[in-house]
Amino acid sequence: MSTIDNSMRMHISEISDLEKEVLSRQLQSSPLLQSKQSSHRHITSLDIFDFDSTLFLSPLLSPNIWHSSFVNSITTENLLGPGWWRDIRSLQLYLDEDKSKTPWHRYWNEDIVAQVKQSMEDPSHLTVLLTGRRYHPFHALIDDILASKGLVFDVVGLRPDPESDAPDYPNGLMFNHEPNVFETTMHFKTSFIVNILHNFPLLTNVVMWDDRQSHICVFKEYLNKMRDIGLIKRGEMVCVIPARPKYNPEWEHKTVKTMLKTHNEAVLALKNTGKPFTEHNVVIENYGQKISSADTYSLKKIDWLIVIKLSPSIATYLRSVFEPFYRQDISKSSAAMDETVATAWKINNAEEPVFFGDQILLAVNTTVMASQLKQKYGIEKGKEYTFKVLARSIGSVNHGMYLQVQIQDALFMLPLWYKPSNFNYLLVQSIDWMPLDNVKLDESLFQGVVDYHHLLTVDKLEQ
């Protein structure tokens, strides 16, 4: 028996019997084996593509709307519903009314789609979609999403936890009631790879596309280990720039409110039965939801940043003045890049800077910062102040454009365009300011009132 055979046997032995059975059933039901193609394809390379933020621009919650405490709560499994990554509503996107367009056409990373299609055209390459999204409840929806783009993977690897059919829960929700077959998504993915290598012994090359830096580091080490012991000849990680879809605050608000409404209805449904909450996680009969507490919740505002709010007319005026500079800067930057850099610099369909231009950022709202603003500069909530625009940043499709303004004797930032996902980092940006040469401004317009930028989180409702 060869060294490679011994190494494979060692790796296979690290997978439990149940995991082997589940992975075997998953592979047997794949398009590749169902179509009987594998018997006449000389497969030597394995191409593995991640789904969320790699191939498909899956939505997340924007930090300029939602407080981190709420994001943590809604991504926790079985707390306010199944958890964002297990809740089918996190992928139930508004589709365009334009019937000439295919569904989900605005949510693809077209560069990665092209690489998927290139892999599919080579019969020696096994083209795989591998994701931590669960088979239930996502398999039918993801099949539809892939079909809309004409993508037929040899194998679609969704995490099979649980593997059994989902009960008939309302809205296709699926909660984590059963022990998982695989402890983590990483455990599932590495076991999946070993099982593929076991079933396709001619495979010598593995290439993986992923956007999560933590996963990329682990997979690099894992592929290097398999190469060192002779399981493969080449292992490569393609680091994909993580990308979000374009800003859609209406969808975010609607989805979050629906998730909270469902949770609250589930809690009240159990309370109405008169049964006590005697366990940490109580399954609501005829609904299927596990609840970590007996609480119901509503959204509440947190006064997160101290800002000077500007009127819509001032924001409109600033846009009219600085948009030509912004567009010109972006055009120059794009023209100066070669094709490879430009592809990395701008992902098709991905989030772009959005114009806001309606508030000057002063400080995070703490007692200390509020006191310093008042003592040093005489700036306090509720009062109106004038400001002067001193400089601007160079416009960028990654960072947007900001203005440097002066209020009293202090300098602050007025973001014009920025990516909503970068909101948490605006106050700590390091910026090279450009003087406003030959820019005439009507400074009589420049005034605003000190107020708060609010973020949303949840608050317990009184029972």
Side-chain angles (χ1 to χ4, degrees), residues 72-278:
N72 292 338
S73 295
I74 207 163
T75 53
T76 300
E77 290 190 3
N78 299 343
L79 181 59
L80 298 176
W84 187 262
W85 298 109
R86 294 205 62 176
D87 197 319
I88 195 168
R89 293 168 295 193
S90 69
L91 276 182
Q92 289 177 332
L93 306 166
Y94 294 154
L95 304 182
D96 289 332
E97 295 181 0
D98 185 353
K99 301 300 182 182
S100 67
K101 301 290 187 180
T102 58
W104 303 287
H105 74 279
R106 295 181 183 276
Y107 291 89
W108 296 98
N109 185 338
E110 296 291 354
D111 178 57
I112 303 301
V113 169
Q115 294 177 61
V116 169
K117 290 182 176 180
Q118 183 179 8
S119 172
M120 290 177 171
E121 289 171 358
D122 190 335
S124 69
H125 285 238
L126 187 67
T127 311
V128 170
L129 181 73
L130 187 58
T131 173
R133 293 273 187 177
R134 311 300 177 101
Y135 184 83
H136 293 295
F138 290 107
H139 68 98
L141 177 57
I142 288 181
D143 282 350
D144 288 343
I145 290 173
L146 297 176
S148 76
K149 198 65 172 174
L151 300 179
V152 182
F153 285 86
D154 291 319
V155 184
V156 176
L158 281 77
R159 183 174 165 183
D161 287 319
E163 186 189 21
S164 58
D165 288 341
D168 187 19
Y169 297 152
N171 303 316
L173 301 183
M174 186 66 192
F175 294 81
N176 189 9
H177 296 169
E178 305 172 18
N180 290 325
V181 176
F182 298 93
E183 294 178 3
T184 63
T185 293
M186 184 61 67
H187 178 207
F188 161 61
K189 287 189 172 184
T190 53
S191 300
F192 179 97
I193 294 170
V194 170
N195 185 62
I196 291 291
L197 292 173
H198 176 65
N199 281 275
F200 296 90
L202 298 180
L203 272 174
T204 56
N205 302 319
V206 179
V207 183
M208 301 182 70
W209 284 257
D210 208 304
D211 67 287
R212 292 176 62 180
Q213 193 58 47
S214 59
H215 280 196
I216 290 169
C217 294
V218 173
F219 281 130
K220 274 185 177 179
E221 183 178 346
Y222 189 75
L223 293 176
N224 288 338
K225 177 183 176 182
M226 289 197 294
R227 185 193 59 204
D228 292 343
I229 64 176
L231 275 177
I232 59 176
K233 291 182 179 179
R234 182 173 73 93
E236 179 185 351
M237 284 301 307
V238 178
C239 303
V240 180
I241 299 173
R244 295 183 182 224
K246 289 182 170 59
Y247 187 49
N248 191 343
E250 294 82 7
W251 179 86
E252 291 187 36
H253 280 281
K254 181 176 180 179
T255 301
V256 164
K257 288 177 181 178
T258 301
M259 290 178 175
L260 286 180
K261 181 174 181 287
T262 303
H263 169 82
N264 290 343
E265 288 174 349
V267 172
L268 295 174
L270 182 59
K271 285 183 176 295
N272 289 337
T273 67
K275 297 180 180 179
F277 284 81
T278 55

Side-chain angles (χ1 to χ4, degrees), residues 8-136:
M8 178 59 72
R9 287 169 64 88
M10 178 187 70
H11 271 68
I12 286 291
S13 68
E14 294 175 355
I15 305 175
S16 71
D17 290 341
L18 176 58
E19 291 166 355
K20 292 176 189 174
E21 292 172 8
V22 171
L23 292 169
S24 177
R25 284 193 290 270
Q26 186 182 64
L27 182 58
Q28 290 301 318
S29 64
S30 67
L32 175 70
L33 295 190
Q34 289 293 307
S35 64
K36 312 296 184 184
Q37 293 180 16
S38 60
S39 59
H40 55 81
R41 281 174 58 182
H42 186 75
I43 297 173
T44 58
S45 295
L46 173 60
D47 295 338
I48 299 175
F49 296 87
D50 179 49
F51 181 72
D52 295 298
S53 301
T54 298
L55 174 65
F56 193 76
L57 307 184
S58 304
L60 295 167
L61 297 179
S62 302
N64 65 317
I65 300 175
W66 312 100
H67 190 265
S68 59
S69 63
F70 174 72
V71 175
N72 292 338
S73 295
I74 207 163
T75 53
T76 300
E77 290 190 3
N78 299 343
L79 181 59
L80 298 176
W84 187 262
W85 298 109
R86 294 205 62 176
D87 197 319
I88 195 168
R89 293 168 295 193
S90 69
L91 276 182
Q92 289 177 332
L93 306 166
Y94 294 154
L95 304 182
D96 289 332
E97 295 181 0
D98 185 353
K99 301 300 182 182
S100 67
K101 301 290 187 180
T102 58
W104 303 287
H105 74 279
R106 295 181 183 276
Y107 291 89
W108 296 98
N109 185 338
E110 296 291 354
D111 178 57
I112 303 301
V113 169
Q115 294 177 61
V116 169
K117 290 182 176 180
Q118 183 179 8
S119 172
M120 290 177 171
E121 289 171 358
D122 190 335
S124 69
H125 285 238
L126 187 67
T127 311
V128 170
L129 181 73
L130 187 58
T131 173
R133 293 273 187 177
R134 311 300 177 101
Y135 184 83
H136 293 295

Side-chain angles (χ1 to χ4, degrees), residues 313-373:
S313 61
I314 295 175
T316 300
Y317 172 73
L318 290 171
R319 180 169 190 166
S320 69
V321 172
F322 289 99
E323 186 158 20
F325 297 100
Y326 177 61
R327 300 301 172 192
Q328 185 179 49
D329 289 347
I330 290 176
S331 179
K332 286 182 179 179
S333 298
S334 180
M337 295 178 182
D338 62 33
E339 186 176 350
T340 302
V341 175
T343 299
W345 176 67
K346 186 177 186 301
I347 297 174
N348 287 328
N349 297 326
E351 175 192 39
E352 297 174 342
V354 176
F355 180 82
F356 292 92
D358 58 354
Q359 56 186 11
I360 300 169
L361 308 185
L362 303 182
V364 176
N365 181 34
T366 64
T367 303
V368 172
M369 293 308 301
S371 177
Q372 287 183 0
L373 285 172

